Amino acid sequence: MAAFESLTSRLQSVFGKLRGKGKVTEDDVNEAMREVRLALLEADVNFKVVKDFIARVKERAIGQEVVKSFTPGMVIIDIVNKELTELMGGTQAKLAKAAKPPTVIMMAGLQGAGKTTASAKLALMLQKGGHKPLLAACDIYRPAAIKQLQVLGGQIGVPVFSLGDKVNPVDIARQALQHAKDEGRDYLIIDTAGRLHIDEALMEELRQIHEAVKPDEVLLVVDAMIGQEAVNVAQSFHEQLELTGIVLTKLDGDTRGGAAISVKAVTGCPIKFVGMGEKIEPLEPFHPDRMASRILGMGDMLSLIEKA
Amino acid sequence: MSFFKKLRESISAKAEAVTNKFREGLGKTASAIAGKVEELVLRRKKIDEAFYEELEEILIGADVGVTTVMRLTDELREEVRKRKIEDASELQPILSEKLVALLREGADEGLRMAESGTTVILFVGVNGVGKTTTIGKLAHRFKSEGKSVLMAAGDTFRAGAIDQLEEWGRRVGVEVVKQQPGADPAAVMYDAIRAAKQRGVDVLLCDTAGRLQNKTNLMEELNKIYRVIQREMPGAPHEVLLVLDATTGQNALSQAKLFGEKSGVTGIVLTKLDSTAKGGIVVAIRSELKLPVKLVGLGEKMDDLQEFDAEQFVHALFAGAIDKEAEAGSAG
Ligand SMILES: Nc1nc2c(ncn2[C@@H]2O[C@H](COP(=O)(O)OP(=O)(O)OP(=O)(O)O)[C@@H](O)[C@H]2O)c(=O)[nH]1
Ligand SMILES: Nc1nc2c(ncn2[C@@H]2O[C@H](COP(=O)(O)OP(=O)(O)OP(=O)(O)O)[C@@H](O)[C@H]2O)c(=O)[nH]1
Ligand SMILES: [Mg+2]
Ligand SMILES: [Mg+2]
């Protein structure tokens, strides 16, 4: 929002006044770090994650680079940017592959995060890569959830396995796996109902699905607009399901998406893909460097640094 | 009388069942903020920079938002200076008082209904926040109040959106005005208003497709829907409710601002408060945009809808502190 004009200009005003002084002190760095902290909090990075992060960056900044620099603001942004990028991991748009097909992918997440849409996008991506995916409709709760998946499957020409909404999702998943084997489908994508991470009964259901189909890939679908709760959500899902990756959705919006950092920090799982729209197009790979500059709100800053 | 006592009395005057449901729904939120503030006050008896920083973290951790939190702590610093407060525990009631004040900014009235004829309520918001579900719940509420209700399937875009609303219609026994998937949503609204007039229904609930507020063309489409409703029925829409997911972070402010500009938002529905999210963003929205929260969603079932009550919200947030004070009061 408006308050977040830009980290660059904020850092400039921190360091601007010491032009005359000519030397960056530890106090100056501390003041700069307060600005970095605010920037990250405004981007919805979890405050605990911010705390650790700031401590690390401060150490590096005071260590050497900044104090000696003529452009301390730039150096700090550069350090922050690099640390953030590193924190979010390398580009990892790779899916696990089962030794013996089908590879089973399970989608999980809060209500409305974008699981069903991401399932269809994933199926399309695989299909375009020459694979034969099968979608399984395991959300029996949300009104018309099955219909939604069937429509999407129809749009992209990927079959959808469904047993209606009267059969237990665990059984649906199990039978879908059998069906995939029988039909020679090499990927099975299981769409599950949205649920709160504190809903014990529904989390137990996910564990049972997990147990029944032994997925090769368990993807947590996270809405990029999520706030501070991202940490608790990711942690609980990870504890119960041993996640293997994250899909960050709705990045076509204007959110800074600080949750990307939080989620990665607490689960250690790579963010494998991002969702960039409502239309069913293949999921896109995640770029940590782009995400870092987005979170810092400085898309064009990077080119400046590169030129410097 | 102390602030907490007043709050307590005003709440106990309300129907107990309502209060309980609200508190239960907010249980996790409540213990989160109140517990942490209390713990902070006990641990750090002194009010220093570290104290403020931790306080900031508690509030930011609830998604209250940096700008609002900074303003709040600035005000607290001011009070501390003026009143020469030294003990952290003295600060707690002042903080609660300030929070309630923020939540009360902007009138706190219920849903605005038409004086005569059909009340039209338009639902807007980003993708997946709970618009369609809230419409289903609200239809159920109006029906059980004996009102006649009609729903308009204005989401012609998302796969299965019309079916989802129709399923809600079956559940709660309300009819849906619809067209084919892909149809012009403004045309659906036109049909719906005519049908509502013809049948003389009490309430028309209009669903729209989720859209991100930075999508110019989709926001223009929404603006068109809004204008068609205004044109076809003078005085309508009587409410334009922006549906917000309680787990949303700072982006909610941008949502409130831009949806407000394109569709004249009159109030907020805060959904998914049954999660562990604190919905603190509402405090920021109230203080920055003066939009009242009209309803809260506390689950996926048709009964999981409640009126928002600023006092109860803060009561729930500070439940622990209030009970303590009451004990101290009765002992002394
Ligand atoms: N703009 C945008 N919208 C998205 C994206 N991914 C999903 N959506 C929309 O978000 C809403 C929710 O998506 P779903 O796929 O139904 O979410 P879900 O997690 O399956 O929801 P539940 O099954 O109800 O828990 C829909 O309106 C989607 O069109 C995205 O990357 N960008
Ligand atoms: N736990 C919980 N889930 C909710 C609540 N309200 C809605 N949901 C769930 O959130 C998901 C999305 O709800 P929808 O009503 O489809 O949201 P929408 O805003 O209409 O979504 P789009 O039309 O795709 O933009 C569904 O799985 C709902 O069951 C709530 O108050 N609590
Ligand atoms: Mg779904
Ligand atoms: Mg909807």
Side-chain angles (χ1 to χ4, degrees):
Chain A
M1 286 245 73
F4 191 100
E5 240 4 293
S6 92
L7 181 57
T8 332
S9 58
R10 271 151 66 160
L11 288 183
Q12 248 149 21
S13 74
V14 171
F15 291 114
K17 53 181 182 273
L18 49 106
R19 283 252 164 73
K21 277 197 295 180
K23 192 171 183 314
V24 180
T25 64
E26 196 173 321
D27 277 351
D28 297 326
V29 173
N30 283 336
E31 204 184 326
M33 282 306 127
R34 271 198 288 280
E35 297 297 328
V36 174
R37 170 175 178 262
L38 286 184
L40 293 175
L41 289 174
E42 278 172 350
D44 289 322
V45 183
N46 182 269
F47 71 91
K48 288 185 198 130
V49 177
V50 171
K51 208 170 196 161
D52 295 346
F53 181 80
I54 292 292
R56 241 190 355 265
V57 172
K58 203 187 250 175
E59 206 167 288
R60 238 183 104 175
I62 293 176
Q64 11 95 21
E65 298 148 82
V66 177
V67 224
K68 283 187 228 132
S69 167
F70 291 112
T71 52
M74 290 292 193
V75 176
I76 287 190
I77 287 196
D78 193 38
I79 297 176
V80 169
N81 195 53
K82 280 190 183 132
E83 286 273 340
L84 278 186
T85 308
E86 207 169 295
L87 193 64
M88 285 185 285
T91 310
Q92 306 214 27
K94 281 220 166 51
L95 281 173
K97 194 164 189 294
K100 191 164 150 275
T103 299
V104 179
I105 304 169
M106 181 174 167
M107 312 293 276
L110 296 180
Q111 286 95 343
K115 296 171 294 299
T116 307
T117 309
S119 300
K121 289 179 175 180
L122 199 55
L124 179 62
M125 186 189 90
L126 288 165
Q127 193 184 44
K128 289 206 163 170
H131 295 286
K132 292 180 7 186
L134 173 69
L135 285 158
C138 289
D139 179 357
I140 60 166
Y141 307 105
R142 168 173 166 172
I146 299 173
K147 172 79 185 209
Q148 182 188 1
L149 192 66
Q150 283 168 338
V151 170
L152 295 179
Q155 280 172 15
I156 56 175
V158 169
V160 174
F161 182 87
S162 159
L163 294 174
D165 60 6
K166 302 285 180 296
V167 177
N168 181 329
V170 183
D171 293 326
I172 301 175
R174 197 179 285 121
Q175 291 190 44
L177 177 57
Q178 190 53 51
H179 186 77
K181 285 178 184 161
D182 296 345
E183 301 287 314
R185 314 298 302 185
D186 58 353
Y187 280 88
L188 172 65
I189 302 166
I190 300 177
D191 181 28
T192 63
R195 65 202 74 214
L196 298 176
H197 58 291
I198 44 168
D199 186 328
E200 279 171 27
L202 284 181
M203 289 306 281
E204 172 60 25
E205 178 193 279
L206 277 189
R207 276 197 300 274
Q208 286 178 15
I209 294 178
H210 192 282
E211 180 60 31
V213 299
K214 305 255 177 340
D216 306 285
E217 192 79 75
V218 184
L219 300 178
L220 180 69
V221 180
V222 180
D223 184 328
M225 291 176 277
I226 192 171
Q228 296 284 320
E229 279 303 292
V231 158
N232 295 331
V233 172
Q235 202 155 24
S236 306
F237 272 96
H238 192 44
E239 272 164 19
Q240 318 242 10
L241 292 174
E242 283 183 53
L243 303 173
T244 59
I246 313 278
V247 179
L248 202 59
T249 62
K250 309 183 199 173
L251 264 181
D252 47 326
D254 61 4
T255 182
R256 289 203 186 288
I261 301 177
S262 313
V263 166
K264 175 73 208 296
V266 296
T267 63
C269 292
I271 299 169
K272 295 206 166 177
F273 302 101
V274 299
M276 295 287 287
E278 294 181 76
K279 280 213 224 77
I280 305 304
E281 276 158 4
L283 282 177
E284 296 185 26
F286 173 72
H287 296 288
D289 47 343
R290 284 186 211 163
M291 196 67 213
S293 21
R294 177 182 181 133
I295 289 169
L296 294 173
M298 38 171 246
D300 32 345
M301 255 326 291
L302 289 183
S303 46
L304 271 178
I305 292 173
E306 274 155 21
K307 278 181 207 141
Chain B
M1 194 172 6
S2 90
F3 167 75
F4 278 140
K5 259 205 192 126
K6 269 188 275 178
L7 190 60
R8 195 184 168 82
E9 277 180 13
S10 130
I11 285 161
S12 53
K14 287 171 190 160
E16 195 161 332
V18 174
T19 306
N20 281 346
K21 176 134 197 206
F22 199 85
R23 268 183 83 167
E24 253 167 53
L26 278 172
K28 302 127 218 157
T29 310
S31 50
I33 299 190
K36 282 180 191 156
V37 170
E38 209 168 320
E39 191 270 336
L40 171 66
V41 163
L42 288 177
R43 182 163 43 83
R44 295 202 171 266
K45 303 195 165 59
K46 234 179 75 209
I47 304 175
D48 52 13
E49 269 317 298
F51 173 86
Y52 283 117
E53 188 160 315
E54 280 197 50
L55 182 60
E56 272 167 35
E57 281 173 355
I58 292 170
L59 295 169
I60 287 171
D63 288 318
V64 173
V66 177
T67 317
T68 310
V69 170
M70 293 304 158
R71 212 172 76 200
L72 207 63
T73 47
D74 282 349
E75 284 175 24
L76 284 180
R77 280 177 218 265
E78 182 66 29
E79 293 281 337
V80 166
R81 229 172 22 87
K82 263 203 317 228
R83 302 197 205 177
K84 300 201 172 37
I85 297 173
E86 278 171 15
D87 199 10
S89 62
E90 285 177 61
L91 209 56
Q92 199 176 340
I94 303 176
L95 172 66
S96 327
E97 207 168 332
K98 293 221 172 290
L99 276 175
V100 181
L102 281 182
L103 283 166
R104 280 216 186 109
E105 276 177 48
D108 194 12
E109 75 283 355
L111 289 174
R112 194 167 79 88
M113 305 297 283
E115 268 157 36
S116 63
T118 308
T119 299
V120 180
I121 307 181
L122 176 66
F123 289 78
V124 302
V126 298
N127 309 78
V129 286
K131 295 175 290 299
T132 309
T133 307
T134 304
I135 288 176
K137 293 173 183 174
L138 199 55
H140 171 64
R141 146 145 359 160
F142 281 129
K143 264 215 81 179
S144 44
E145 286 170 2
K147 296 195 170 71
S148 57
V149 185
L150 196 61
M151 306 196 285
D155 182 355
T156 58
F157 178 76
R158 209 206 66 206
I162 300 171
D163 304 82
Q164 185 186 1
L165 193 66
E166 284 190 301
E167 175 55 32
W168 272 106
R170 271 190 292 278
R171 279 188 192 178
V172 303
V174 165
E175 249 181 85
V176 176
V177 177
K178 60 162 185 176
Q179 288 190 15
Q180 290 308 304
D184 177 5
V188 178
M189 294 309 164
Y190 179 84
D191 287 357
I193 299 241
R194 295 199 45 165
K197 280 189 200 157
Q198 232 163 41
R199 301 182 204 180
V201 297
D202 298 321
V203 187
L204 171 65
L205 303 173
C206 305
D207 196 11
T208 61
R211 67 198 77 221
L212 298 177
Q213 71 276 17
N214 62 333
K215 305 269 166 98
T216 319
N217 52 343
L218 294 180
M219 293 306 279
E220 286 311 322
E221 179 196 82
L222 182 64
N223 185 249
K224 184 174 158 200
I225 293 172
Y226 178 58
R227 281 183 285 124
V228 164
I229 295 175
Q230 282 180 322
R231 191 188 66 210
E232 293 308 311
M233 189 184 280
H238 303 85
E239 290 276 7
V240 180
L241 298 181
L242 174 71
V243 183
L244 283 181
D245 182 329
T247 53
T248 310
Q250 300 310 296
N251 192 251
L253 278 166
S254 153
Q255 293 170 26
K257 187 163 168 289
L258 295 175
F259 274 98
E261 283 167 13
K262 287 295 171 198
S263 60
V265 172
T266 56
I268 305 250
V269 181
L270 190 63
T271 61
K272 311 187 194 176
L273 258 187
D274 48 327
S275 71
T276 47
K278 328 284 184 298
I281 192 63
V282 160
V283 177
I285 288 177
R286 285 287 277 244
S287 76
E288 288 182 32
L289 296 153
K290 313 277 179 256
L291 278 174
V293 184
K294 302 248 166 164
L295 297 165
V296 301
L298 293 163
E300 298 183 80
K301 294 199 216 63
M302 61 174 118
D303 290 317
D304 297 331
L305 188 72
Q306 288 277 312
E307 237 113 63
F308 180 79
D309 183 320
E311 282 180 343
Q312 285 192 14
F313 191 72
V314 174
H315 181 272
L317 293 187
F318 288 92
I322 293 169
D323 292 343
K324 274 238 173 74
E325 201 198 69
E327 265 168 44
S330 62

